[in-house]
Amino acid sequence: MATLIAPSNHSPQEDAESLRKAFEGWGTDERTVITILGHRNSHQIQQIRRAYEEIYQEDLIKRLESELKGDFEKAVYRWILEPADRDAVLANVAIKSGKNYNVVVEIASILSPEELFNVRRAYIKRYKHSLEEDLATHTSGHLRQLLVGLVTAFRYVGDDVNARLAQSEADILHEAVKEKKGSQEEAVRILTTRSKAQLIATFNRYRETHGTSITKKLLDEGSDDFQKALYTTIRSFTDHVKYYEKVVRDAVKKIGTDEDALTRVIVSRAQHDLKSISDVYHKRNSVPFEHVVAKETSGDYKKLLLTLLGQED
């Protein structure tokens, strides 16, 4: 369930004019920016961007970048990009940082085949080279094989599964992932080629056979980037809502909030399943997610996140 419920009767021209007025005078009227952009869905925001450019011969995104600052500016920027373009930016930032390939795994594992293809197309348009090319340049070994395989996959999306195959591949994953005795290439092959339904059947078979989930105790302090990416891949396919709940839980429990992770989840899931993520967070941690967001953030950044969560500050 989404947390964003956009009005059906908005006028892109009126919204563009109101935003222009918010930029004029001494200082920016951030409340108007939040009131408009925080209550519009992706399609409506793209209409506003086009209307703004037609009326004022100016790029709305560039104007917002010049008017806003800090975490608020970054959140607004990521919110108003088209979803595929946003994911392309998130993937590029993750690759260039060299330390958060989980973001790439999220995108590749959670999006539909068509959505992932659109991200790859947006990436090429923005950066003039492919997502898989950048991943191959910045990684090596099994991590490279896994990430390139994930982003280039175009998976079957039906419900058909092969029970015998699920059993045999559960055994392969046990040897490769848990015992670290088998072929890592085989683990990569399974995770990058099988449909979501087939993978879930394999993970379920693993649990039935071994009495525990495949991700249980998969990570420890010595885990490398490849093992972390394996873990994220399996979690994302198994239950991406619970996976995202862990992302935001980790983001707010650190000494110093991880604003990038918090922003990423809220802006990317507000039109999809952010309500479900919030509900799982509340159930697991006995505190409403919006209360934690309000406590861990401040200013206009806090107001925007709460608006996207369906709350008003």
Side-chain angles (χ1 to χ4, degrees):
M1 291 176 59
T3 52
L4 177 78
I5 307 297
S8 58
N9 60 343
H10 89 114
S11 165
Q13 291 73 25
E14 290 180 6
D15 285 346
E17 291 167 2
S18 295
L19 287 169
R20 180 71 171 197
K21 291 178 183 176
F23 303 147
E24 294 173 345
W26 185 260
T28 306
D29 179 2
E30 289 87 355
R31 179 178 292 275
T32 295
V33 173
I34 295 170
T35 298
I36 294 174
L37 298 179
H39 293 91
R40 303 291 183 268
N41 62 33
S42 179
H43 176 68
Q44 292 170 334
I45 289 174
Q46 305 319 310
Q47 290 179 319
I48 296 168
R49 287 177 60 184
R50 288 192 291 271
Y52 188 92
E53 187 159 6
E54 289 172 2
I55 297 170
Y56 302 109
Q57 288 74 56
E58 181 180 52
D59 187 328
L60 176 59
I61 288 182
K62 291 182 178 178
R63 184 59 186 263
L64 285 165
E65 286 180 312
S66 69
E67 295 286 338
L68 311 178
K69 60 183 179 180
D71 292 321
F72 178 50
E73 181 273 322
K74 185 181 291 186
V76 170
Y77 173 73
R78 292 180 176 176
W79 172 243
I80 68 173
L81 290 175
E82 293 186 70
D85 201 23
R86 176 197 305 134
D87 285 335
V89 170
L90 291 172
N92 183 259
V93 170
I95 293 168
K96 294 299 173 63
S97 73
K99 60 183 181 181
N100 198 6
Y101 293 112
N102 288 343
V103 175
V104 177
V105 176
E106 287 174 20
I107 292 167
S109 303
I110 294 172
L111 298 185
S112 71
E114 290 80 8
E115 289 169 335
L116 177 57
F117 184 81
N118 288 337
V119 173
R120 293 172 62 197
R121 184 162 49 191
Y123 195 100
I124 290 175
K125 182 178 180 181
R126 178 176 279 268
Y127 300 110
K128 312 308 178 194
H129 33 89
S130 70
L131 173 56
E132 54 268 32
E133 180 182 0
D134 275 356
L135 284 168
T137 299
H138 288 83
T139 60
S140 61
H142 293 131
L143 178 63
R144 175 194 286 170
Q145 293 171 3
L146 177 62
L147 294 177
V148 171
L150 286 173
V151 302
T152 55
F154 198 94
R155 302 174 192 266
Y156 166 69
V157 294
D159 296 327
D160 293 346
V161 298
N162 183 322
R164 183 175 297 177
L165 184 65
Q167 177 63 68
S168 66
E169 294 192 335
D171 294 339
I172 292 172
L173 289 176
H174 178 71
E175 288 295 307
V177 176
K178 299 289 278 192
E179 298 297 327
K180 299 181 175 61
K181 295 177 182 177
S183 168
Q184 301 294 342
E185 287 81 3
E186 280 294 277
V188 169
R189 175 188 62 79
I190 293 167
L191 294 174
T192 59
T193 62
R194 299 305 184 199
S195 70
K196 180 177 181 180
Q198 184 66 42
L199 286 174
I200 290 175
T202 299
F203 302 151
N204 288 341
R205 193 65 188 142
Y206 184 100
R207 181 186 289 274
E208 292 168 5
T209 302
H210 299 284
T212 184
S213 71
I214 189 171
T215 55
K216 191 73 171 179
K217 297 183 179 179
L218 180 60
L219 296 183
D220 55 38
E221 292 182 358
S223 296
D224 59 18
D225 286 339
F226 173 62
Q227 291 165 327
K228 292 175 183 176
L230 278 178
Y231 175 84
T232 301
T233 303
I234 296 168
R235 285 295 304 271
S236 296
F237 277 115
T238 304
D239 190 332
H240 72 268
V241 169
K242 288 185 178 178
Y243 166 75
Y244 276 129
E245 184 279 329
K246 186 177 188 306
V247 172
V248 295
R249 176 163 31 98
D250 290 346
V252 298
K253 76 178 184 181
K254 293 181 177 179
I255 299 175
T257 304
D258 184 349
E259 287 86 0
D260 279 350
L262 190 61
T263 298
R264 183 177 83 249
V265 174
I266 291 177
V267 303
S268 64
R269 307 314 298 179
Q271 297 179 76
H272 301 284
D273 46 21
L274 187 55
K275 177 67 166 60
S276 299
I277 296 167
S278 297
D279 289 345
V280 171
Y281 184 95
H282 190 177
K283 183 177 181 180
R284 190 187 191 285
N285 302 282
S286 302
V287 59
F289 181 46
E290 60 269 20
H291 290 186
V292 176
V293 171
K295 178 183 176 184
E296 297 294 331
T297 60
S298 62
D300 294 314
Y301 174 57
K302 176 177 78 170
K303 293 174 183 176
L304 175 64
L305 295 189
L306 290 177
T307 298
L308 296 180
L309 279 163
Q311 307 291 320
E312 298 300 331
D313 181 39

